[in-house]
Amino acid sequence: MSQAEFAPYDFDANTPNAARMYDYYLGGKDNYPADREAAEKIMALGPSRDICVANRRFLGRAVRLAARDGIRQFLDLGTGLPTQDNVHEVAQREAPGSRVVYVDYDPVVLAHARALKAIDATTNVVREDIRTPRAILAHPDVLELIDFAEPVAVLFVAVLHCLTDDEDPWGVVRTFAERMAPGSHLIVSHLTDDAHPEAGAAAREVYDGATAPLIHRGHAAISRFFDGFEVLDPGVTVVNEWRPESDLDRERPGGEWFYVGVGRKP
């Protein structure tokens, strides 16, 4: 992890924070009453904890796939709060020495980044916003570990649904894709309300009062993120159907809320 000190931030415990809400869904303790109140409203709409665990397990399966495909560098965009089986832990178990850069702008995430265990010279944490992809691609702490002339796994896990259409998330992904070498992996998970439109509308109202919006998208819109990539089997699908490793992966409630996929750059 870079030893540079992060600049101080204004801290607001009274506004629901998307990262802290996600932490609460996963059973974490890095959250406050406002986060828990908002999260409970979401949890009343569906099995939010199961949904988030399913997404987290997809991250692990996708990172292991990339490592087994020979990839040794990982760029995790919109990292979120540290939890179990972070990208560097999964990647380095599969391929020791793998290099990982985490990118996030959220003040709570950055405050906890320094507490990550097992951080060493193979891992950096960078303060940037995915809405400014060229700044990330040029950041010295990114370039210290990521060589874009070699295959890299770029992860957009549960973050693109925080960008509005006006912020052009497809353009953000395309900017990274242009720098990715052949053989690179693009890993995406994205919330959808295709199966539950009424609950989705209620969830968006809750997030309207949080630090980041919630933008559900359909299968076609999410598939567009993979333009120019070879989408690996089983394609862009609900999270429970993406290479499950156990019956629990297949049967976990709420899997229809996430479309996920992995693309390989030809």
Side-chain angles (χ1 to χ4, degrees):
M1 176 174 155
S2 172
Q3 297 302 308
E5 291 293 320
F6 294 118
Y9 287 89
D10 292 332
F11 177 78
D12 180 7
N14 297 315
T15 299
N17 176 287
R20 296 193 307 251
M21 290 170 65
Y22 198 87
D23 174 72
Y24 182 69
Y25 300 144
L26 289 171
K29 298 179 180 179
D30 295 314
N31 48 73
Y32 294 88
D35 310 312
R36 295 191 285 273
E37 181 180 354
E40 288 289 350
K41 293 177 181 177
I42 297 295
M43 294 171 72
L45 300 172
S48 300
R49 188 156 289 163
D50 283 304
I51 294 166
C52 293
V53 170
N55 178 65
R56 194 73 185 174
R57 287 183 59 80
F58 160 73
L59 179 150
R61 299 196 299 275
V63 169
R64 285 191 290 275
L65 173 65
R68 292 167 186 167
D69 206 26
I71 292 175
R72 297 295 180 264
Q73 48 184 4
F74 298 80
L75 181 60
D76 184 8
L77 300 161
T79 302
L81 282 159
T83 183
Q84 292 183 341
D85 284 340
N86 297 288
V87 172
H88 72 283
E89 295 168 329
V90 177
Q92 291 172 3
R93 279 200 300 268
E94 193 70 33
S98 293
R99 306 184 305 280
V100 178
V101 176
Y102 295 106
V103 179
D104 210 299
Y105 78 97
D106 188 283
V108 178
V109 171
L110 294 170
H112 285 79
R114 287 174 290 185
L116 275 171
K117 296 180 179 178
I119 292 289
D120 57 23
T122 64
T123 308
N124 273 349
V125 179
V126 171
R127 171 192 165 192
E128 283 292 350
D129 189 330
I130 67 166
R131 297 172 184 84
T132 57
R134 297 190 190 283
I136 297 170
L137 290 165
H139 198 289
D141 286 347
V142 173
L143 298 177
E144 179 183 6
L145 293 183
I146 304 295
D147 178 2
F148 287 99
E150 299 293 333
V152 58
V154 178
L155 293 86
F156 292 92
V157 174
V159 65
L160 291 168
H161 52 239
C162 296
L163 273 61
T164 67
D165 286 1
D166 288 343
E167 291 170 323
D168 190 14
W170 301 276
V172 169
V173 172
R174 187 167 56 251
T175 300
F176 284 97
E178 290 169 352
R179 287 289 301 277
M180 295 163 66
S184 294
H185 283 201
L186 173 66
I187 299 171
V188 173
S189 71
H190 194 300
L191 281 167
T192 183
D193 66 349
D194 278 359
H196 306 285
E198 292 184 2
R204 289 192 295 276
E205 289 184 5
V206 175
Y207 274 86
D208 284 345
T211 56
L214 174 59
I215 310 297
H216 294 107
R217 294 186 172 96
H219 188 271
I222 295 168
S223 296
R224 283 177 54 201
F225 291 120
F226 294 97
D227 287 354
F229 286 81
E230 170 198 357
V231 181
L232 304 182
D233 288 338
V236 178
T237 186
V238 295
V239 66
N240 289 5
E241 295 178 0
W242 198 92
R243 304 193 182 203
E245 296 177 341
S246 69
D247 288 341
L248 185 57
D249 285 338
R250 296 181 184 89
E251 299 168 4
R252 189 179 298 277
E256 69 277 11
W257 281 96
F258 263 108
Y259 283 131
V260 305
V262 175
R264 181 186 292 124
K265 188 170 181 180

